[in-house]
Amino acid sequence: MKKNLITITILLFTISIGHAQHYKHFTSWNRIALQKKINEHWEIIGDVHWRRQSDFTSPSINPLASKLMEGIRVTTTYRINSFAFSFAPFLMHSSQLYSKNLDLARPDRFEIRPTFFTEWTKVLSSTWSIRSRLGYEYRIFKRIDDVWGDEQARLRLRLQLRYGWDKKNTIIVSEEPLYNIPPNMPANSFNQNQLYFAYNHAFSPYFSTEIGYIWNHRQRTSLVEFDEENILQTHFIFRL
């Protein structure tokens, strides 16, 4: 009996792997931020997001070919000792990651996303530090009847390692899985995983840039379809 169960389990796993679809994407995530430090504890950041994606019908890997997302966010942060607590409401208009003709029929969606973050920073040495950030996102979508609803929520945990090459240059590596949680829990509890490599350069106390690569592995609600997103990210920060 035990042998039969093992055989059936292996067979089902093999079938599921055989039916899995992996779609490759090349995308561009771009952000411009204005940051203002109020005092030693409080700061506020306003940022504009603009994302594009490659055209799956073309052999080109141009990450700017098609629309993906536009959004604005305002983040208020309170810092004390090694902790930072943030509230970051996000308004966005997003499209499907296009992988097949059926995706083209899916409508764009407006979303309001109030988000809460708690981040802990540990300085290991004069050059090395780690950051651990837990986030909760409450997602509210605009339905086709112009009524806001279809609420969902998501948890995310980012672990980040930072190396301060010198006072102006920093190397960043981070890992961040995201999981769907109630209400209106979709079929997939696992949402996506973001692995990030970046380089940050401070041109002055008032302006810095960050450029990086994100490998984003997403699972669709079909459970057998996965989006493999290769992301070039740019981030421009102006400090007032």
Side-chain angles (χ1 to χ4, degrees):
M1 181 65 181
K2 183 177 180 181
K3 194 174 190 179
N4 290 336
L5 288 175
I6 294 174
T7 302
I8 292 172
T9 301
I10 294 174
L11 180 62
L12 290 175
F13 178 77
T14 304
I15 292 173
S16 67
I17 293 296
H19 284 80
Q21 294 288 327
H22 291 260
Y23 308 115
K24 183 176 289 188
H25 307 269
F26 296 91
T27 63
S28 175
W29 292 11
N30 309 282
R31 181 165 35 139
I32 298 176
L34 293 177
Q35 180 178 342
K36 175 64 176 178
K37 186 174 181 179
I38 308 301
N39 55 42
E40 63 175 318
H41 294 297
W42 291 96
E43 71 177 24
I44 187 167
I45 302 173
D47 48 12
V48 176
H49 296 247
W50 182 67
R51 300 178 184 176
R52 304 284 290 179
Q53 63 178 309
S54 55
D55 181 358
F56 76 97
T57 65
S58 170
S60 169
I61 60 172
N62 178 12
L64 301 175
S66 302
K67 61 184 179 179
L68 182 56
M69 189 273 274
E70 307 93 29
I72 56 174
R73 179 174 61 185
V74 178
T75 304
T76 303
T77 301
Y78 176 76
R79 300 183 184 277
I80 182 168
N81 299 325
S82 299
F83 288 90
F85 305 93
S86 301
F87 173 58
F90 204 163
L91 173 63
M92 66 183 69
H93 170 250
S94 58
S95 305
Q96 172 73 27
L97 269 172
Y98 300 130
S99 308
K100 54 187 178 180
N101 290 329
L102 205 60
D103 292 335
L104 298 174
R106 297 187 178 185
D108 294 353
R109 302 196 77 177
F110 283 94
E111 177 184 346
I112 298 174
R113 184 187 296 176
T115 306
F116 301 88
F117 291 115
T118 298
E119 184 173 73
W120 172 73
T121 300
K122 175 65 175 177
V123 177
L124 302 176
S125 70
S126 59
T127 55
W128 292 95
S129 65
I130 57 173
R131 295 181 181 181
S132 176
R133 188 184 72 175
L134 176 65
Y136 170 79
E137 300 175 333
Y138 191 76
R139 310 176 69 190
I140 309 167
F141 298 96
K142 189 175 184 180
R143 302 196 298 247
I144 57 174
D145 59 1
D146 281 343
V147 175
W148 291 90
D150 298 335
E151 295 89 346
Q152 293 182 357
R154 197 161 63 182
L155 282 178
R156 54 196 306 163
L157 176 62
R158 187 183 72 184
L159 299 175
Q160 185 179 95
L161 180 65
R162 302 173 69 90
Y163 173 70
W165 189 350
D166 54 33
K167 290 184 178 180
K168 291 188 174 183
N169 300 284
T170 304
I171 306 298
I172 302 166
V173 179
S174 70
E175 163 71 5
E176 185 173 22
L178 288 77
Y179 291 91
N180 296 314
I181 60 174
N184 299 320
M185 182 79 174
N188 56 321
S189 58
F190 169 76
N191 182 265
Q192 59 188 272
N193 185 78
Q194 299 180 4
L195 181 61
Y196 184 44
F197 303 91
Y199 164 68
N200 182 287
H201 177 74
F203 289 90
S204 76
Y206 306 102
F207 176 64
S208 63
T209 63
E210 187 171 302
I211 184 169
Y213 167 77
I214 305 173
W215 180 73
N216 194 10
H217 173 71
R218 302 173 183 255
Q219 183 181 36
R220 298 194 179 192
T221 54
S222 65
L223 303 183
V224 294
E225 292 177 292
F226 299 88
D227 293 295
E228 313 292 352
E229 195 175 356
N230 297 278
I231 304 162
L232 174 64
Q233 174 165 286
T234 60
H235 187 191
F236 303 92
I237 307 106
F238 297 87
R239 297 177 179 87
L240 305 177

